[in-house]
Amino acid sequence: MSETNIDTNELGEKIVKVLKTIYDPEIPVDIYELGLIYDVFVNEDQDVKILMTLTSPNCPVAESLPEEIREKVKSLDAVNDVEMELTFDPPWSQDLMSEEAKLELGML
């Protein structure tokens, strides 16, 4: 491994920063704080896999949102490739939202 390789934790943090710039079109909170991102995996080859869900299987952005995420994360210089996996198990619920998101939506 060359010295120029970026630390996977550091890359993970950069990916989270990108995820926090993407918003659900129906809720004025970013997808990370909403709890739509279940996991972000980064391997030594700087390939990224994002496991995510949507607020509902019938979400109007079911097609476009994962693609937008993939494109924005892939635009990071250190990222080699991005694989998106959409799951509804477990289904999204308001319990997955961060306190920041609940505060933003007046739920606290």
Side-chain angles (χ1 to χ4, degrees):
M1 194 188 313
S2 78
E3 290 299 314
T4 58
N5 274 3
I6 188 166
D7 178 276
T8 52
N9 288 334
E10 190 180 321
L11 183 52
E13 287 172 21
K14 286 184 177 184
I15 292 166
V16 167
K17 279 186 182 153
V18 168
L19 295 173
K20 286 184 173 192
T21 68
I22 303 170
Y23 286 77
D24 183 295
E26 297 174 338
I27 307 170
V29 175
D30 72 75
I31 59 171
Y32 190 82
E33 297 296 340
L34 267 181
L36 296 182
I37 304 300
Y38 285 170
D39 221 333
V40 176
F41 305 95
V42 181
N43 70 15
E44 295 77 32
D45 297 329
Q46 289 152 250
D47 291 327
V48 177
K49 180 176 181 182
I50 298 174
L51 181 63
M52 69 169 294
T53 194
L54 298 169
T55 51
S56 90
N58 305 324
C59 182
V61 292
E63 296 291 315
S64 60
L65 189 62
E67 187 56 28
E68 178 185 355
I69 295 166
R70 196 183 76 69
E71 285 177 14
K72 286 190 174 175
V73 171
K74 196 169 169 127
S75 73
L76 288 169
D77 289 340
V79 172
N80 181 36
D81 197 20
V82 179
E83 179 188 341
M84 299 298 302
E85 185 176 329
L86 201 53
T87 184
F88 292 99
D89 182 28
W92 180 84
S93 74
Q94 294 180 348
D95 295 341
L96 297 170
M97 293 167 53
S98 69
E99 294 218 344
E100 185 180 311
K102 288 177 182 173
L103 195 62
E104 181 78 27
L105 297 173
M107 299 166 78
L108 282 181

